[in-house]
Each structure stands twice: as C-alpha cells, then as structure tokens.
Amino acid sequence: MDIQIQLDCWKVASLEMKLGHSEDEPKKSGENSFHLSFEAKWIANFPDKFVIAFDITIEGVEFTLDLHMDFFFKANQDLDEEFKKSDFVKVSAPAIAFPYIRSYISNLTLQSGYPTVILPSINFVHLAKEKERKKNLSQE
C-alpha cells in the first residue's frame, strides 16, 4: 500500500512585527532582507503525523517581522525511519507549505499598512542539498 500524505492544517505559532528596525542593524538599503529555516518534527504518540516548522525573519524597509509557522501533515499509515529521512520530508513537504507562508506574509504586510512583501520562490531541492553538504562538512 502506498503512503498517502496530506497537509492537515497549519498554525502561526508566534508572530512579532515591529515598526522600524533593530538598533544593532539599521536598514540601509531600500530592499527587504529575508531569512528562512525549517525542520521536521515528529509527534509523540502519533506515528502517522509530522510537522514542518518554519522560522522566517524579514527586515523590511519599514518594519521587522519574526514568524514561526507549523505545518501539520498526516499519513494513511505509520511513518517509519526510512520515511523520516526521505526527500518528501526534506523537499516535498516544505515545498507544499511554502506557498501558504508567501500568501500569509503578503496579506499580513498589506493589511498592516506596509508595502506588500512577496517572498521569492525557493528551490527546496537545492536547499536540501546545501543542508546535506553543510552537515557533511561539519562532521569532518
């Protein structure tokens, strides 16, 4: 039986948005800076579910934004160790979730009175390869 996985829901775990910039690093250019990280988390007592947790920081022209979002996935069967190391977890699940983040941030900035922020597209295949490369370098 093939594993069938779907995005069950997503939640904003934390959000901080401030007018202006950090005093340590004042904004110098007219462009937004963007940082994204994510990791898979496994839910105790629910072997058929997992979470992709994103942390996003945007230093906007007029604001700073720190956002943590959790995307909950469920499968039609228990997920084993092989699945936990699979490309679905490293590439596909984050790629499924990211358009929701892009939309959320665009709407949030627009509805908050700031210039609309449209996040760039992300190549999750490339990002996964970079993470693996950095992991291998740190183990040497």
Side-chain angles (χ1 to χ4, degrees):
M1 178 160 139
D2 289 335
I3 297 177
Q4 297 174 4
I5 301 165
Q6 70 179 49
L7 176 60
D8 191 31
C9 67
W10 60 271
K11 305 277 184 202
V12 172
S14 68
L15 170 66
E16 183 176 16
M17 189 171 195
K18 294 180 184 176
L19 178 63
H21 310 284
S22 69
E23 293 176 14
D24 296 338
E25 295 183 33
K27 191 70 178 164
K28 294 178 182 167
S29 72
E31 294 186 15
N32 299 322
S33 63
F34 163 66
H35 174 75
L36 168 124
S37 63
F38 63 92
E39 67 177 325
K41 296 183 178 181
W42 307 97
I43 305 170
N45 301 322
F46 293 96
D48 62 334
K49 297 180 180 177
F50 68 100
V51 176
I52 302 294
F54 284 86
D55 286 302
I56 297 110
T57 300
I58 299 172
E59 180 87 14
V61 175
E62 299 178 23
F63 65 91
T64 56
L65 180 130
D66 288 303
L67 174 64
H68 178 91
M69 293 179 83
D70 291 329
F71 290 81
F72 298 83
F73 289 82
K74 67 179 179 180
N76 63 337
Q77 64 189 52
D78 289 354
L79 303 170
D80 60 16
E81 290 304 313
E82 182 180 341
F83 176 82
K84 291 178 181 182
K85 296 175 183 172
S86 73
D87 283 344
F88 188 89
V89 174
K90 296 175 187 174
V91 176
S92 299
I96 289 167
F98 190 67
Y100 292 92
I101 295 170
R102 290 182 80 207
S103 177
Y104 180 81
I105 289 175
S106 292
N107 285 313
L108 176 67
T109 53
L110 174 68
Q111 295 298 319
S112 298
Y114 297 106
T116 303
V117 172
I118 300 172
L119 296 180
S121 297
I122 302 291
N123 181 334
F124 285 95
V125 172
H126 175 74
L127 202 56
K129 287 179 183 176
E130 262 313 291
K131 273 186 171 181
E132 190 65 30
R133 186 184 71 76
K134 287 178 181 178
K135 179 182 170 186
N136 291 337
L137 286 175
S138 68
Q139 292 176 350
E140 292 178 353

mmCIF file with all atom_site columns, all heavy atoms in Angstrom, residues 15-37:
data_model
loop_
_atom_site.group_PDB
_atom_site.id
_atom_site.type_symbol
_atom_site.label_atom_id
_atom_site.label_alt_id
_atom_site.label_comp_id
_atom_site.label_asym_id
_atom_site.label_entity_id
_atom_site.label_seq_id
_atom_site.pdbx_PDB_ins_code
_atom_site.Cartn_x
_atom_site.Cartn_y
_atom_site.Cartn_z
_atom_site.occupancy
_atom_site.B_iso_or_equiv
_atom_site.pdbx_formal_charge
_atom_site.auth_seq_id
_atom_site.auth_comp_id
_atom_site.auth_asym_id
_atom_site.auth_atom_id
_atom_site.pdbx_PDB_model_num
ATOM 1   N N   . LEU A 1 15 ? 4.351  35.303 16.214 1.00 0.00 ? 15 LEU A N   1
ATOM 2   C CA  . LEU A 1 15 ? 4.478  36.390 15.247 1.00 0.00 ? 15 LEU A CA  1
ATOM 3   C C   . LEU A 1 15 ? 4.854  37.651 16.005 1.00 0.00 ? 15 LEU A C   1
ATOM 4   O O   . LEU A 1 15 ? 4.203  38.009 16.989 1.00 0.00 ? 15 LEU A O   1
ATOM 5   C CB  . LEU A 1 15 ? 3.158  36.605 14.502 1.00 0.00 ? 15 LEU A CB  1
ATOM 6   C CG  . LEU A 1 15 ? 3.048  37.855 13.634 1.00 0.00 ? 15 LEU A CG  1
ATOM 7   C CD1 . LEU A 1 15 ? 4.022  37.787 12.462 1.00 0.00 ? 15 LEU A CD1 1
ATOM 8   C CD2 . LEU A 1 15 ? 1.613  38.010 13.123 1.00 0.00 ? 15 LEU A CD2 1
ATOM 9   N N   . GLU A 1 16 ? 5.901  38.300 15.536 1.00 0.00 ? 16 GLU A N   1
ATOM 10  C CA  . GLU A 1 16 ? 6.276  39.603 16.079 1.00 0.00 ? 16 GLU A CA  1
ATOM 11  C C   . GLU A 1 16 ? 6.572  40.516 14.896 1.00 0.00 ? 16 GLU A C   1
ATOM 12  O O   . GLU A 1 16 ? 7.414  40.209 14.052 1.00 0.00 ? 16 GLU A O   1
ATOM 13  C CB  . GLU A 1 16 ? 7.496  39.509 16.990 1.00 0.00 ? 16 GLU A CB  1
ATOM 14  C CG  . GLU A 1 16 ? 7.850  40.839 17.605 1.00 0.00 ? 16 GLU A CG  1
ATOM 15  C CD  . GLU A 1 16 ? 9.001  40.750 18.589 1.00 0.00 ? 16 GLU A CD  1
ATOM 16  O OE1 . GLU A 1 16 ? 9.725  39.738 18.596 1.00 0.00 ? 16 GLU A OE1 1
ATOM 17  O OE2 . GLU A 1 16 ? 9.181  41.719 19.344 1.00 0.00 ? 16 GLU A OE2 1
ATOM 18  N N   . MET A 1 17 ? 5.872  41.621 14.854 1.00 0.00 ? 17 MET A N   1
ATOM 19  C CA  . MET A 1 17 ? 6.055  42.597 13.781 1.00 0.00 ? 17 MET A CA  1
ATOM 20  C C   . MET A 1 17 ? 6.207  43.961 14.426 1.00 0.00 ? 17 MET A C   1
ATOM 21  O O   . MET A 1 17 ? 5.370  44.364 15.234 1.00 0.00 ? 17 MET A O   1
ATOM 22  C CB  . MET A 1 17 ? 4.851  42.571 12.842 1.00 0.00 ? 17 MET A CB  1
ATOM 23  C CG  . MET A 1 17 ? 5.020  43.360 11.592 1.00 0.00 ? 17 MET A CG  1
ATOM 24  S SD  . MET A 1 17 ? 3.619  43.014 10.494 1.00 0.00 ? 17 MET A SD  1
ATOM 25  C CE  . MET A 1 17 ? 4.261  43.671 8.983  1.00 0.00 ? 17 MET A CE  1
ATOM 26  N N   . LYS A 1 18 ? 7.300  44.642 14.076 1.00 0.00 ? 18 LYS A N   1
ATOM 27  C CA  . LYS A 1 18 ? 7.583  45.936 14.696 1.00 0.00 ? 18 LYS A CA  1
ATOM 28  C C   . LYS A 1 18 ? 7.859  46.980 13.625 1.00 0.00 ? 18 LYS A C   1
ATOM 29  O O   . LYS A 1 18 ? 8.545  46.704 12.641 1.00 0.00 ? 18 LYS A O   1
ATOM 30  C CB  . LYS A 1 18 ? 8.830  45.846 15.581 1.00 0.00 ? 18 LYS A CB  1
ATOM 31  C CG  . LYS A 1 18 ? 8.706  44.970 16.775 1.00 0.00 ? 18 LYS A CG  1
ATOM 32  C CD  . LYS A 1 18 ? 10.010 44.992 17.544 1.00 0.00 ? 18 LYS A CD  1
ATOM 33  C CE  . LYS A 1 18 ? 9.985  44.045 18.702 1.00 0.00 ? 18 LYS A CE  1
ATOM 34  N NZ  . LYS A 1 18 ? 11.291 44.007 19.379 1.00 0.00 ? 18 LYS A NZ  1
ATOM 35  N N   . LEU A 1 19 ? 7.361  48.173 13.867 1.00 0.00 ? 19 LEU A N   1
ATOM 36  C CA  . LEU A 1 19 ? 7.696  49.319 13.036 1.00 0.00 ? 19 LEU A CA  1
ATOM 37  C C   . LEU A 1 19 ? 9.162  49.651 13.273 1.00 0.00 ? 19 LEU A C   1
ATOM 38  O O   . LEU A 1 19 ? 9.630  49.643 14.407 1.00 0.00 ? 19 LEU A O   1
ATOM 39  C CB  . LEU A 1 19 ? 6.821  50.516 13.414 1.00 0.00 ? 19 LEU A CB  1
ATOM 40  C CG  . LEU A 1 19 ? 7.069  51.821 12.664 1.00 0.00 ? 19 LEU A CG  1
ATOM 41  C CD1 . LEU A 1 19 ? 6.775  51.651 11.183 1.00 0.00 ? 19 LEU A CD1 1
ATOM 42  C CD2 . LEU A 1 19 ? 6.207  52.931 13.255 1.00 0.00 ? 19 LEU A CD2 1
ATOM 43  N N   . GLY A 1 20 ? 9.884  49.914 12.212 1.00 0.00 ? 20 GLY A N   1
ATOM 44  C CA  . GLY A 1 20 ? 11.297 50.259 12.343 1.00 0.00 ? 20 GLY A CA  1
ATOM 45  C C   . GLY A 1 20 ? 12.174 49.032 12.280 1.00 0.00 ? 20 GLY A C   1
ATOM 46  O O   . GLY A 1 20 ? 11.750 47.954 11.870 1.00 0.00 ? 20 GLY A O   1
ATOM 47  N N   . HIS A 1 21 ? 13.437 49.197 12.739 1.00 0.00 ? 21 HIS A N   1
ATOM 48  C CA  . HIS A 1 21 ? 14.449 48.154 12.624 1.00 0.00 ? 21 HIS A CA  1
ATOM 49  C C   . HIS A 1 21 ? 15.190 48.013 13.932 1.00 0.00 ? 21 HIS A C   1
ATOM 50  O O   . HIS A 1 21 ? 15.136 48.887 14.787 1.00 0.00 ? 21 HIS A O   1
ATOM 51  C CB  . HIS A 1 21 ? 15.437 48.494 11.499 1.00 0.00 ? 21 HIS A CB  1
ATOM 52  C CG  . HIS A 1 21 ? 14.738 48.854 10.234 1.00 0.00 ? 21 HIS A CG  1
ATOM 53  N ND1 . HIS A 1 21 ? 14.161 47.923 9.424  1.00 0.00 ? 21 HIS A ND1 1
ATOM 54  C CD2 . HIS A 1 21 ? 14.468 50.051 9.668  1.00 0.00 ? 21 HIS A CD2 1
ATOM 55  C CE1 . HIS A 1 21 ? 13.582 48.518 8.408  1.00 0.00 ? 21 HIS A CE1 1
ATOM 56  N NE2 . HIS A 1 21 ? 13.750 49.811 8.537  1.00 0.00 ? 21 HIS A NE2 1
ATOM 57  N N   . SER A 1 22 ? 15.931 46.919 14.025 1.00 0.00 ? 22 SER A N   1
ATOM 58  C CA  . SER A 1 22 ? 16.739 46.741 15.225 1.00 0.00 ? 22 SER A CA  1
ATOM 59  C C   . SER A 1 22 ? 17.808 47.835 15.254 1.00 0.00 ? 22 SER A C   1
ATOM 60  O O   . SER A 1 22 ? 18.325 48.234 14.220 1.00 0.00 ? 22 SER A O   1
ATOM 61  C CB  . SER A 1 22 ? 17.389 45.358 15.232 1.00 0.00 ? 22 SER A CB  1
ATOM 62  O OG  . SER A 1 22 ? 18.375 45.276 14.233 1.00 0.00 ? 22 SER A OG  1
ATOM 63  N N   . GLU A 1 23 ? 18.127 48.292 16.435 1.00 0.00 ? 23 GLU A N   1
ATOM 64  C CA  . GLU A 1 23 ? 19.138 49.342 16.573 1.00 0.00 ? 23 GLU A CA  1
ATOM 65  C C   . GLU A 1 23 ? 20.531 48.813 16.246 1.00 0.00 ? 23 GLU A C   1
ATOM 66  O O   . GLU A 1 23 ? 21.413 49.560 15.868 1.00 0.00 ? 23 GLU A O   1
ATOM 67  C CB  . GLU A 1 23 ? 19.091 49.932 17.979 1.00 0.00 ? 23 GLU A CB  1
ATOM 68  C CG  . GLU A 1 23 ? 17.795 50.684 18.230 1.00 0.00 ? 23 GLU A CG  1
ATOM 69  C CD  . GLU A 1 23 ? 17.678 51.189 19.650 1.00 0.00 ? 23 GLU A CD  1
ATOM 70  O OE1 . GLU A 1 23 ? 18.693 51.196 20.370 1.00 0.00 ? 23 GLU A OE1 1
ATOM 71  O OE2 . GLU A 1 23 ? 16.576 51.580 20.034 1.00 0.00 ? 23 GLU A OE2 1
ATOM 72  N N   . ASP A 1 24 ? 20.722 47.504 16.391 1.00 0.00 ? 24 ASP A N   1
ATOM 73  C CA  . ASP A 1 24 ? 22.024 46.903 16.093 1.00 0.00 ? 24 ASP A CA  1
ATOM 74  C C   . ASP A 1 24 ? 22.324 46.921 14.599 1.00 0.00 ? 24 ASP A C   1
ATOM 75  O O   . ASP A 1 24 ? 23.464 47.076 14.197 1.00 0.00 ? 24 ASP A O   1
ATOM 76  C CB  . ASP A 1 24 ? 22.079 45.451 16.582 1.00 0.00 ? 24 ASP A CB  1
ATOM 77  C CG  . ASP A 1 24 ? 21.960 45.368 18.096 1.00 0.00 ? 24 ASP A CG  1
ATOM 78  O OD1 . ASP A 1 24 ? 22.246 46.377 18.769 1.00 0.00 ? 24 ASP A OD1 1
ATOM 79  O OD2 . ASP A 1 24 ? 21.588 44.291 18.589 1.00 0.00 ? 24 ASP A OD2 1
ATOM 80  N N   . GLU A 1 25 ? 21.284 46.710 13.789 1.00 0.00 ? 25 GLU A N   1
ATOM 81  C CA  . GLU A 1 25 ? 21.479 46.638 12.343 1.00 0.00 ? 25 GLU A CA  1
ATOM 82  C C   . GLU A 1 25 ? 20.437 47.497 11.627 1.00 0.00 ? 25 GLU A C   1
ATOM 83  O O   . GLU A 1 25 ? 19.452 46.991 11.127 1.00 0.00 ? 25 GLU A O   1
ATOM 84  C CB  . GLU A 1 25 ? 21.351 45.194 11.863 1.00 0.00 ? 25 GLU A CB  1
ATOM 85  C CG  . GLU A 1 25 ? 22.419 44.277 12.402 1.00 0.00 ? 25 GLU A CG  1
ATOM 86  C CD  . GLU A 1 25 ? 22.301 42.873 11.847 1.00 0.00 ? 25 GLU A CD  1
ATOM 87  O OE1 . GLU A 1 25 ? 21.880 42.722 10.686 1.00 0.00 ? 25 GLU A OE1 1
ATOM 88  O OE2 . GLU A 1 25 ? 22.617 41.934 12.575 1.00 0.00 ? 25 GLU A OE2 1
ATOM 89  N N   . PRO A 1 26 ? 20.639 48.805 11.602 1.00 0.00 ? 26 PRO A N   1
ATOM 90  C CA  . PRO A 1 26 ? 19.671 49.651 10.912 1.00 0.00 ? 26 PRO A CA  1
ATOM 91  C C   . PRO A 1 26 ? 19.610 49.321 9.425  1.00 0.00 ? 26 PRO A C   1
ATOM 92  O O   . PRO A 1 26 ? 20.602 48.926 8.820  1.00 0.00 ? 26 PRO A O   1
ATOM 93  C CB  . PRO A 1 26 ? 20.194 51.066 11.137 1.00 0.00 ? 26 PRO A CB  1
ATOM 94  C CG  . PRO A 1 26 ? 21.608 50.905 11.548 1.00 0.00 ? 26 PRO A CG  1
ATOM 95  C CD  . PRO A 1 26 ? 21.761 49.544 12.142 1.00 0.00 ? 26 PRO A CD  1
ATOM 96  N N   . LYS A 1 27 ? 18.448 49.445 8.852  1.00 0.00 ? 27 LYS A N   1
ATOM 97  C CA  . LYS A 1 27 ? 18.241 49.141 7.430  1.00 0.00 ? 27 LYS A CA  1
ATOM 98  C C   . LYS A 1 27 ? 18.888 50.218 6.581  1.00 0.00 ? 27 LYS A C   1
ATOM 99  O O   . LYS A 1 27 ? 18.617 51.382 6.747  1.00 0.00 ? 27 LYS A O   1
ATOM 100 C CB  . LYS A 1 27 ? 16.729 49.057 7.153  1.00 0.00 ? 27 LYS A CB  1
ATOM 101 C CG  . LYS A 1 27 ? 16.381 48.497 5.827  1.00 0.00 ? 27 LYS A CG  1
ATOM 102 C CD  . LYS A 1 27 ? 16.695 47.037 5.784  1.00 0.00 ? 27 LYS A CD  1
ATOM 103 C CE  . LYS A 1 27 ? 16.279 46.470 4.447  1.00 0.00 ? 27 LYS A CE  1
ATOM 104 N NZ  . LYS A 1 27 ? 16.854 45.203 4.189  1.00 0.00 ? 27 LYS A NZ  1
ATOM 105 N N   . LYS A 1 28 ? 19.756 49.809 5.669  1.00 0.00 ? 28 LYS A N   1
ATOM 106 C CA  . LYS A 1 28 ? 20.492 50.763 4.853  1.00 0.00 ? 28 LYS A CA  1
ATOM 107 C C   . LYS A 1 28 ? 19.962 50.859 3.431  1.00 0.00 ? 28 LYS A C   1
ATOM 108 O O   . LYS A 1 28 ? 20.024 51.895 2.814  1.00 0.00 ? 28 LYS A O   1
ATOM 109 C CB  . LYS A 1 28 ? 21.978 50.391 4.828  1.00 0.00 ? 28 LYS A CB  1
ATOM 110 C CG  . LYS A 1 28 ? 22.633 50.528 6.178  1.00 0.00 ? 28 LYS A CG  1
ATOM 111 C CD  . LYS A 1 28 ? 24.072 50.102 6.143  1.00 0.00 ? 28 LYS A CD  1
ATOM 112 C CE  . LYS A 1 28 ? 24.662 50.213 7.543  1.00 0.00 ? 28 LYS A CE  1
ATOM 113 N NZ  . LYS A 1 28 ? 25.935 49.556 7.674  1.00 0.00 ? 28 LYS A NZ  1
ATOM 114 N N   . SER A 1 29 ? 19.465 49.769 2.903  1.00 0.00 ? 29 SER A N   1
ATOM 115 C CA  . SER A 1 29 ? 19.011 49.794 1.509  1.00 0.00 ? 29 SER A CA  1
ATOM 116 C C   . SER A 1 29 ? 17.491 49.860 1.449  1.00 0.00 ? 29 SER A C   1
ATOM 117 O O   . SER A 1 29 ? 16.823 49.759 2.467  1.00 0.00 ? 29 SER A O   1
ATOM 118 C CB  . SER A 1 29 ? 19.506 48.553 0.768  1.00 0.00 ? 29 SER A CB  1
ATOM 119 O OG  . SER A 1 29 ? 18.785 47.412 1.210  1.00 0.00 ? 29 SER A OG  1
ATOM 120 N N   . GLY A 1 30 ? 16.975 50.005 0.250  1.00 0.00 ? 30 GLY A N   1
ATOM 121 C CA  . GLY A 1 30 ? 15.536 50.077 0.065  1.00 0.00 ? 30 GLY A CA  1
ATOM 122 C C   . GLY A 1 30 ? 14.909 48.722 -0.215 1.00 0.00 ? 30 GLY A C   1
ATOM 123 O O   . GLY A 1 30 ? 13.793 48.651 -0.687 1.00 0.00 ? 30 GLY A O   1
ATOM 124 N N   . GLU A 1 31 ? 15.615 47.632 0.100  1.00 0.00 ? 31 GLU A N   1
ATOM 125 C CA  . GLU A 1 31 ? 15.084 46.299 -0.167 1.00 0.00 ? 31 GLU A CA  1
ATOM 126 C C   . GLU A 1 31 ? 14.875 45.537 1.135  1.00 0.00 ? 31 GLU A C   1
ATOM 127 O O   . GLU A 1 31 ? 15.494 45.824 2.152  1.00 0.00 ? 31 GLU A O   1
ATOM 128 C CB  . GLU A 1 31 ? 16.051 45.526 -1.066 1.00 0.00 ? 31 GLU A CB  1
ATOM 129 C CG  . GLU A 1 31 ? 16.172 46.128 -2.453 1.00 0.00 ? 31 GLU A CG  1
ATOM 130 C CD  . GLU A 1 31 ? 17.026 45.276 -3.373 1.00 0.00 ? 31 GLU A CD  1
ATOM 131 O OE1 . GLU A 1 31 ? 17.282 44.101 -3.040 1.00 0.00 ? 31 GLU A OE1 1
ATOM 132 O OE2 . GLU A 1 31 ? 17.428 45.794 -4.414 1.00 0.00 ? 31 GLU A OE2 1
ATOM 133 N N   . ASN A 1 32 ? 14.015 44.521 1.058  1.00 0.00 ? 32 ASN A N   1
ATOM 134 C CA  . ASN A 1 32 ? 13.779 43.647 2.193  1.00 0.00 ? 32 ASN A CA  1
ATOM 135 C C   . ASN A 1 32 ? 14.862 42.579 2.241  1.00 0.00 ? 32 ASN A C   1
ATOM 136 O O   . ASN A 1 32 ? 15.322 42.116 1.210  1.00 0.00 ? 32 ASN A O   1
ATOM 137 C CB  . ASN A 1 32 ? 12.419 42.949 2.061  1.00 0.00 ? 32 ASN A CB  1
ATOM 138 C CG  . ASN A 1 32 ? 11.270 43.923 2.012  1.00 0.00 ? 32 ASN A CG  1
ATOM 139 O OD1 . ASN A 1 32 ? 11.276 44.926 2.704  1.00 0.00 ? 32 ASN A OD1 1
ATOM 140 N ND2 . ASN A 1 32 ? 10.282 43.633 1.197  1.00 0.00 ? 32 ASN A ND2 1
ATOM 141 N N   . SER A 1 33 ? 15.262 42.191 3.445  1.00 0.00 ? 33 SER A N   1
ATOM 142 C CA  . SER A 1 33 ? 16.104 41.009 3.588  1.00 0.00 ? 33 SER A CA  1
ATOM 143 C C   . SER A 1 33 ? 15.248 39.902 4.189  1.00 0.00 ? 33 SER A C   1
ATOM 144 O O   . SER A 1 33 ? 14.307 40.166 4.943  1.00 0.00 ? 33 SER A O   1
ATOM 145 C CB  . SER A 1 33 ? 17.328 41.302 4.450  1.00 0.00 ? 33 SER A CB  1
ATOM 146 O OG  . SER A 1 33 ? 16.931 41.649 5.759  1.00 0.00 ? 33 SER A OG  1
ATOM 147 N N   . PHE A 1 34 ? 15.575 38.674 3.844  1.00 0.00 ? 34 PHE A N   1
ATOM 148 C CA  . PHE A 1 34 ? 14.720 37.545 4.157  1.00 0.00 ? 34 PHE A CA  1
ATOM 149 C C   . PHE A 1 34 ? 15.575 36.359 4.579  1.00 0.00 ? 34 PHE A C   1
ATOM 150 O O   . PHE A 1 34 ? 16.565 36.038 3.935  1.00 0.00 ? 34 PHE A O   1
ATOM 151 C CB  . PHE A 1 34 ? 13.895 37.228 2.898  1.00 0.00 ? 34 PHE A CB  1
ATOM 152 C CG  . PHE A 1 34 ? 13.247 35.881 2.852  1.00 0.00 ? 34 PHE A CG  1
ATOM 153 C CD1 . PHE A 1 34 ? 12.247 35.557 3.737  1.00 0.00 ? 34 PHE A CD1 1
ATOM 154 C CD2 . PHE A 1 34 ? 13.631 34.950 1.892  1.00 0.00 ? 34 PHE A CD2 1
ATOM 155 C CE1 . PHE A 1 34 ? 11.632 34.314 3.673  1.00 0.00 ? 34 PHE A CE1 1
ATOM 156 C CE2 . PHE A 1 34 ? 13.022 33.721 1.818  1.00 0.00 ? 34 PHE A CE2 1
ATOM 157 C CZ  . PHE A 1 34 ? 12.019 33.401 2.719  1.00 0.00 ? 34 PHE A CZ  1
ATOM 158 N N   . HIS A 1 35 ? 15.221 35.733 5.705  1.00 0.00 ? 35 HIS A N   1
ATOM 159 C CA  . HIS A 1 35 ? 15.904 34.525 6.161  1.00 0.00 ? 35 HIS A CA  1
ATOM 160 C C   . HIS A 1 35 ? 14.850 33.472 6.487  1.00 0.00 ? 35 HIS A C   1
ATOM 161 O O   . HIS A 1 35 ? 13.840 33.779 7.133  1.00 0.00 ? 35 HIS A O   1
ATOM 162 C CB  . HIS A 1 35 ? 16.759 34.807 7.393  1.00 0.00 ? 35 HIS A CB  1
ATOM 163 C CG  . HIS A 1 35 ? 17.362 33.562 7.957  1.00 0.00 ? 35 HIS A CG  1
ATOM 164 N ND1 . HIS A 1 35 ? 18.430 32.924 7.376  1.00 0.00 ? 35 HIS A ND1 1
ATOM 165 C CD2 . HIS A 1 35 ? 17.012 32.825 9.030  1.00 0.00 ? 35 HIS A CD2 1
ATOM 166 C CE1 . HIS A 1 35 ? 18.719 31.842 8.062  1.00 0.00 ? 35 HIS A CE1 1
ATOM 167 N NE2 . HIS A 1 35 ? 17.871 31.757 9.081  1.00 0.00 ? 35 HIS A NE2 1
ATOM 168 N N   . LEU A 1 36 ? 15.101 32.251 6.040  1.00 0.00 ? 36 LEU A N   1
ATOM 169 C CA  . LEU A 1 36 ? 14.159 31.151 6.260  1.00 0.00 ? 36 LEU A CA  1
ATOM 170 C C   . LEU A 1 36 ? 14.924 29.932 6.741  1.00 0.00 ? 36 LEU A C   1
ATOM 171 O O   . LEU A 1 36 ? 16.002 29.630 6.225  1.00 0.00 ? 36 LEU A O   1
ATOM 172 C CB  . LEU A 1 36 ? 13.453 30.822 4.939  1.00 0.00 ? 36 LEU A CB  1
ATOM 173 C CG  . LEU A 1 36 ? 12.652 29.526 4.927  1.00 0.00 ? 36 LEU A CG  1
ATOM 174 C CD1 . LEU A 1 36 ? 11.227 29.820 4.523  1.00 0.00 ? 36 LEU A CD1 1
ATOM 175 C CD2 . LEU A 1 36 ? 13.260 28.544 3.952  1.00 0.00 ? 36 LEU A CD2 1
ATOM 176 N N   . SER A 1 37 ? 14.382 29.250 7.736  1.00 0.00 ? 37 SER A N   1
ATOM 177 C CA  . SER A 1 37 ? 14.892 27.943 8.143  1.00 0.00 ? 37 SER A CA  1
ATOM 178 C C   . SER A 1 37 ? 13.686 27.070 8.475  1.00 0.00 ? 37 SER A C   1
ATOM 179 O O   . SER A 1 37 ? 12.601 27.580 8.777  1.00 0.00 ? 37 SER A O   1
ATOM 180 C CB  . SER A 1 37 ? 15.841 28.054 9.336  1.00 0.00 ? 37 SER A CB  1
ATOM 181 O OG  . SER A 1 37 ? 15.164 28.559 10.456 1.00 0.00 ? 37 SER A OG  1
#
